[in-house]
């Protein structure tokens, strides 16, 4: 049962979307939580028992590449088993309603947005599906096929690493610039399932607001970005966002 306030916010979110012509979205791990992909920031500060700096930094990889591959192979195997949830579907449907005026910026590396049908996806933090050679730099799509414990490059036999942006590394610049462009030119900026603490991605939220967009946040709980949000939808995004779509369709007179 929705409270009156949460129902009002669902209606408001649908209204701002119905009145907009351009939409940009920033997603984080929470959008995939209902699919069964764990989020990052558990209260103990560990990722599935590992310290972040051990499994998600170039230094950690340099110290113990076997441990890092064990972690990413487990994440790849988990993602191979899961499916997009209604929040991913909502975002794919929204893109269909805003042809050429919709950008989905994601911090996620699980590929579930694309599996749900989203097309214009900017992956800020890389992809679990790809590897990059530490020697010849070749980037290869490995899909979610199982990889060796310490996979090596088919071209030069160098050690592969996940094609993921780790702490201390810079974002892929072209993708980042496209994300900034989409952020400053949208009328509605929807933020789904991110704790909004990892920069520069989180900075897009304030940038959107400064540039004049209406910011809508959908998260299980309020976050550090909630003060910036014009509308907050708090609860599981896979349950809330389909209700926004239903109201949006009513407002647009769609079946
Ligand atoms: P976090 O784990 O920091 O935050 C997940 C957010 O999702 C939290 O705010 C939760 O409240 C919210 N959440 C959980 N379940 C949800 C649900 N069912 N519906 C809606 N929201 C839900 O994940 P991110 O913000 O994505 O970077 O973390 C950002 C980056 O930190 C990641 O991309 C990763 C990590 O370092 C790299 O791997 C480079």
């Amino acid at each position: 049962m929705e409270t009156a306030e949460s129902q009002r916010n669902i209606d408001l979110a649908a209204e701002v979307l119905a009145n907009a012509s351009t939409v940009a979205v920033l997603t984080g791990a929470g959008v995939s939580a209902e699919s069964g992909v764990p989020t990052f920031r558990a209260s103990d500060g560990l990722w599935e028992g590992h310290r972040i700096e051990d499994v998600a930094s170039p230094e950690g990889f340099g110290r113990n590449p076997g441990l890092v591959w064990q972690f990413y192979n487990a994440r790849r195997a988990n993602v191979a088993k899961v499916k997009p949830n209604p929040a991913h579907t909502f975002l794919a449907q929204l893109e269909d309603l805003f042809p050429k005026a919709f950008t989905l910026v994601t911090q996620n590396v699980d590929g579930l947005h694309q599996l749900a049908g989203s097309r214009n996806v900017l992956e800020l933090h890389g992809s679990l599906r790809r590897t990059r050679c530490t020697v010849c730099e070749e980037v290869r799509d490995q899909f979610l096929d199982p990889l060796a414990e310490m996979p090596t490059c088919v071209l030069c036999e160098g050690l592969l690493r996940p094609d993921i942006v780790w702490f201390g590394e810079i974002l892929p610049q072209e993708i980042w610039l496209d994300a900034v462009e989409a952020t400053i030119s949208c009328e509605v900026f929807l933020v789904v399932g991110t704790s909004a603490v990892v920069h520069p991605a989180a900075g897009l939220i304030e940038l959107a607001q400064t540039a004049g967009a209406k910011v809508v946040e959908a998260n299980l709980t309020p976050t550090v970005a909630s003060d910036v949000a014009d509308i907050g939808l708090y609860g599981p995004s896979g349950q809330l966002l389909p209700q926004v779509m239903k109201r949006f369709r009513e407002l647009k007179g769609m079946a």
Side-chain angles (χ1 to χ4, degrees):
M1 246 295 263
E2 302 301 331
T3 64
E5 194 193 345
S6 75
Q7 186 58 56
R8 207 178 113 253
N9 287 337
I10 287 167
D11 291 349
L12 279 174
E15 266 168 46
V16 295
L17 285 168
N19 290 324
S21 49
T22 45
V23 176
V25 183
L26 174 68
T27 64
V31 77
S32 296
E34 287 156 79
S35 293
V37 182
T39 58
F40 295 101
R41 285 177 181 75
S43 52
D44 59 5
L46 298 178
W47 284 2
E48 297 170 52
H50 298 290
R51 295 188 316 156
I52 292 177
E53 55 273 31
D54 286 341
V55 290
S57 71
E59 294 77 19
F61 187 67
R63 275 196 303 272
N64 192 346
L67 173 76
V68 173
W69 266 116
Q70 200 183 4
F71 176 75
Y72 282 97
N73 276 335
R75 288 182 68 195
R76 286 165 52 84
N78 181 47
V79 165
K81 287 189 300 212
V82 304
K83 292 193 176 65
N85 69 60
H88 298 106
T89 306
F90 163 85
L91 292 170
Q93 289 170 342
L94 204 57
E95 182 168 6
D96 288 340
L97 295 163
F98 289 89
K100 299 198 175 124
F102 183 93
T103 308
L104 174 46
V105 182
T106 188
Q107 299 166 85
N108 297 347
V109 294
D110 57 30
L112 289 178
H113 286 305
Q114 292 91 331
L115 215 55
S118 290
R119 295 177 303 276
N120 192 15
V121 182
L122 299 176
E123 291 179 317
L124 289 182
H125 291 166
S127 171
L128 268 181
R129 292 166 198 250
R130 292 190 306 266
T131 54
R132 189 164 82 238
C133 178
T134 56
V135 178
C136 75
E137 301 274 313
E138 196 228 15
V139 173
R140 181 165 290 247
D141 195 341
Q142 308 274 10
F143 307 95
L144 292 170
D145 301 338
L147 294 174
E149 285 178 17
M150 293 267 261
T152 51
C153 179
V154 289
L155 301 181
C156 77
E157 295 183 8
L159 179 64
L160 297 180
R161 57 165 281 176
D163 189 29
I164 284 181
V165 180
W166 284 328
F167 284 98
E169 297 185 316
I170 55 164
L171 267 45
Q173 285 305 285
E174 215 169 293
I175 292 175
W176 172 247
L177 292 176
D178 285 350
V180 168
E181 177 58 34
T183 300
I184 59 179
S185 55
C186 70
E187 291 169 24
V188 175
F189 192 77
L190 177 58
V191 187
V192 187
T194 177
S195 57
V197 295
V198 174
H199 285 264
L204 293 174
I205 304 168
E206 216 166 301
L207 182 64
Q209 192 217 30
T210 310
K214 287 265 184 240
V215 176
V216 180
E217 178 179 55
N219 197 300
L220 209 47
T221 56
T223 68
V224 290
S226 302
D227 287 347
V228 173
D230 297 286
I231 302 166
L233 308 172
Y234 298 113
S237 54
Q239 290 178 29
L240 293 173
L241 294 177
Q243 297 179 57
V244 174
M245 180 56 73
K246 183 167 174 280
R247 183 70 189 131
F248 177 96
R249 288 181 176 280
E250 283 167 10
L251 290 169
K252 290 283 195 186
M254 298 162 82

